[in-house]
Amino acid sequence: MHKLGISVYPEHSTVEKDFAYMELAAKYGFKRIFTCLLSVNKPKEEIVKEFTAFCTKAHELGFEVACDTAPFVFEHLGATPEDVSIFKEMGFDIIRLDGHFDDRLDTIITRNPYGIKIERNGSMDSDVAGLIRHGADPNNVIICHNFYPETYTGLGLKTFENFNKLWKESGLHTAAFVTSHNENTYGPWPVFDGLPTLEMHRNLPIDVQARHMVSMELIDDILIGNAYATEDELKTMSEIDLNKTTVSIDLVDGINEEEMKVLFNYSHTGRSDASDYMIRSSWPRMDYKETSIPYRKCDKPTFERGDVVIVNDNLAHYRGECEIILQPIENDGRRNLVGTIPDEELIILDEMEKRPDHLFGFIQK
């Protein structure tokens, strides 16, 4: 089950602004908050007081709260892997270890008596499976990737996939960050180029980033790394269908009612006997054995990657089949062009091509 989350950095804002943002995100169904203790330079007593109030408010709104830490944070707070009571006192649900201790202490901390989950850095090559084999509580180990404030430093797609396949093989819950494009956003550090996990996401609309995460089927929770996202961005993310891959379609002029039904009234799944040329959603054709889909002229000599077509009356046996083109095919008059996937969303089509028989749907732009 996916959860959506926000990030809040109290040391850079005010209680009033932070609480208002948390209330707004809760309105749109967000369930997680990420915050950072690495960048908080205050006496222990002030940290405890401030974050106790912070977590209390978050819990009232239905959030679970994760705090980013490292061994130096533990030392400052008087905590150890064997005694995390101060994190319990403040109300944290998750302790993220940006930097870890040693294998013995990393195992012990997962057995804390408070049930606080220990979140490992998903963007580092560490033997979490080995820790579990040697006694770490698998129910208390989860994964969260880094975000990357500096342009060009975010994870590459292949690196991201390799890490997450490892975490998923170990049965671990995962989280990663997307970035807001609101003006003057910030994170824990004075760098302002967004806070995505994947570099390829840095300049994409937030809903495309999030839907790409869903399409990869590797990430459970999707968090906005920078503060504050706009209300429109929160609303847009809340409207994403988190249960399947969804891709936008720019419709052509002249599309008819039956073609609209095929696109938007079916739960689309491609075929496991997949073609290199297209993803085929064959189920709609069961309803179009006797229902006409007239040929509609299209001047394109070939259909290109990202074009979406529906088989027409000129190939009646397959009439109604919805197809997403993967590589160029001849326009022989047997398929009507109904729309095109925007260029910025072809990364989602890349994921669909890897798993052609998985559930997907279209979003009308």
Side-chain angles (χ1 to χ4, degrees):
M1 184 68 177
H2 295 282
K3 292 179 184 176
L4 299 178
I6 58 171
S7 299
V8 182
Y9 306 102
E11 72 273 22
H12 298 310
S13 187
T14 66
V15 170
E16 292 75 19
K17 288 181 180 178
D18 285 344
F19 284 11
Y21 183 51
M22 291 157 63
E23 289 170 355
L24 184 63
K27 169 186 170 183
Y28 288 106
F30 284 65
K31 295 297 184 183
R32 283 191 58 166
I33 292 178
F34 171 86
T35 192
C36 183
L37 293 180
L38 301 174
S39 53
V40 180
N41 185 21
K42 294 181 179 180
K44 170 184 173 179
E45 293 73 19
E46 288 186 31
I47 293 174
V48 171
K49 180 179 179 181
E50 181 176 324
F51 282 94
T52 298
F54 180 89
C55 290
T56 298
K57 178 65 173 181
H59 290 155
E60 289 173 357
L61 294 170
F63 289 102
E64 60 179 355
V65 186
C67 61
D68 205 11
T69 70
F72 76 86
V73 174
F74 276 64
E75 183 178 355
H76 181 62
L77 294 176
T80 70
E82 297 172 288
D83 180 7
V84 296
S85 58
I86 196 163
F87 293 99
K88 172 65 175 177
E89 178 185 340
M90 288 186 281
F92 288 113
D93 306 288
I94 300 167
I95 298 171
R96 183 178 187 271
L97 296 178
D98 186 63
H100 62 95
F101 297 93
D102 58 37
D103 287 352
R104 174 178 171 273
L105 294 176
D106 287 349
T107 297
I108 288 173
I109 196 172
T110 71
R111 296 284 176 175
N112 71 82
Y114 312 109
I116 297 175
K117 294 189 182 300
I118 305 305
E119 195 165 62
R120 302 284 299 198
N121 185 341
S123 302
M124 292 180 62
D125 189 7
S126 58
D127 186 14
V128 180
L131 290 177
I132 292 172
R133 284 197 307 272
H134 292 288
D137 185 347
N139 298 307
N140 271 355
V141 179
I142 59 177
I143 295 291
C144 181
H145 281 275
N146 281 341
F147 48 49
Y148 294 90
E150 184 182 0
T151 303
Y152 305 121
T153 65
L155 290 183
L157 181 60
K158 182 56 66 176
T159 299
F160 185 69
E161 289 176 332
N162 289 340
F163 276 133
N164 286 304
K165 287 174 182 175
L166 180 64
W167 310 140
K168 287 318 228 179
E169 285 170 1
S170 298
L172 299 174
H173 192 91
T174 57
F177 293 94
V178 295
T179 187
S180 164
H181 294 295
N182 195 12
E183 293 183 358
N184 302 316
T185 61
Y186 56 87
W189 318 114
V191 184
F192 306 99
D193 294 330
L195 287 179
T197 291
L198 276 167
E199 185 59 38
M200 67 192 304
H201 284 173
R202 193 174 300 275
N203 297 310
L204 291 175
I206 200 167
D207 72 306
V208 177
Q209 298 174 58
R211 287 189 286 110
H212 185 225
M213 287 283 189
V214 173
S215 74
M216 285 187 278
E217 300 184 5
L218 294 169
I219 293 298
D220 297 302
D221 297 345
I222 303 170
L223 317 175
I224 302 173
N226 46 352
Y228 303 114
T230 67
E231 181 170 3
D232 185 62
E233 286 177 322
L234 296 174
K235 182 175 184 294
T236 297
M237 281 188 66
S238 75
E239 293 170 348
I240 293 171
D241 188 338
L242 300 174
N243 297 306
K244 65 183 179 186
T245 294
T246 51
V247 65
S248 299
I249 180 170
D250 293 321
L251 299 176
V252 301
D253 293 334
I255 187 171
N256 66 43
E257 181 180 352
E258 295 303 328
E259 292 166 333
M260 291 289 285
K261 288 179 182 177
V262 170
L263 285 175
F264 300 114
N265 288 9
Y266 287 85
S267 296
H268 291 289
T269 55
R271 298 171 59 122
S272 56
D273 56 341
S275 164
D276 287 338
Y277 290 89
M278 62 182 71
I279 295 172
R280 301 172 60 194
S281 176
S282 295
W283 290 109
R285 74 185 228 217
M286 300 296 105
D287 293 332
Y288 283 86
K289 293 179 179 179
E290 306 297 332
T291 302
S292 174
I293 298 180
Y295 162 74
R296 184 162 35 75
K297 181 175 172 55
C298 173
D299 292 332
K300 294 179 65 168
T302 60
F303 296 126
E304 307 292 337
R305 183 175 180 83
D307 285 341
V308 182
V309 299
I310 294 175
V311 178
N312 61 39
D313 291 342
N314 291 337
L315 192 61
H317 182 72
Y318 293 95
R319 179 172 50 217
E321 182 168 280
C322 181
E323 301 166 349
I324 305 177
I325 305 304
L326 299 175
Q327 56 179 295
I329 66 169
E330 177 189 359
N331 176 8
D332 57 10
R334 296 184 290 184
R335 296 173 177 87
N336 291 348
L337 179 67
V338 292
T340 301
I341 296 171
D343 287 347
E344 65 189 6
E345 298 198 25
L346 291 179
I347 58 173
I348 298 177
L349 181 57
D350 293 343
E351 298 302 322
M352 295 169 67
E353 187 174 4
K354 297 173 187 175
R355 293 169 288 277
D357 58 342
H358 288 209
L359 187 67
F360 69 90
F362 296 105
I363 302 169
Q364 183 177 348
K365 284 295 189 181

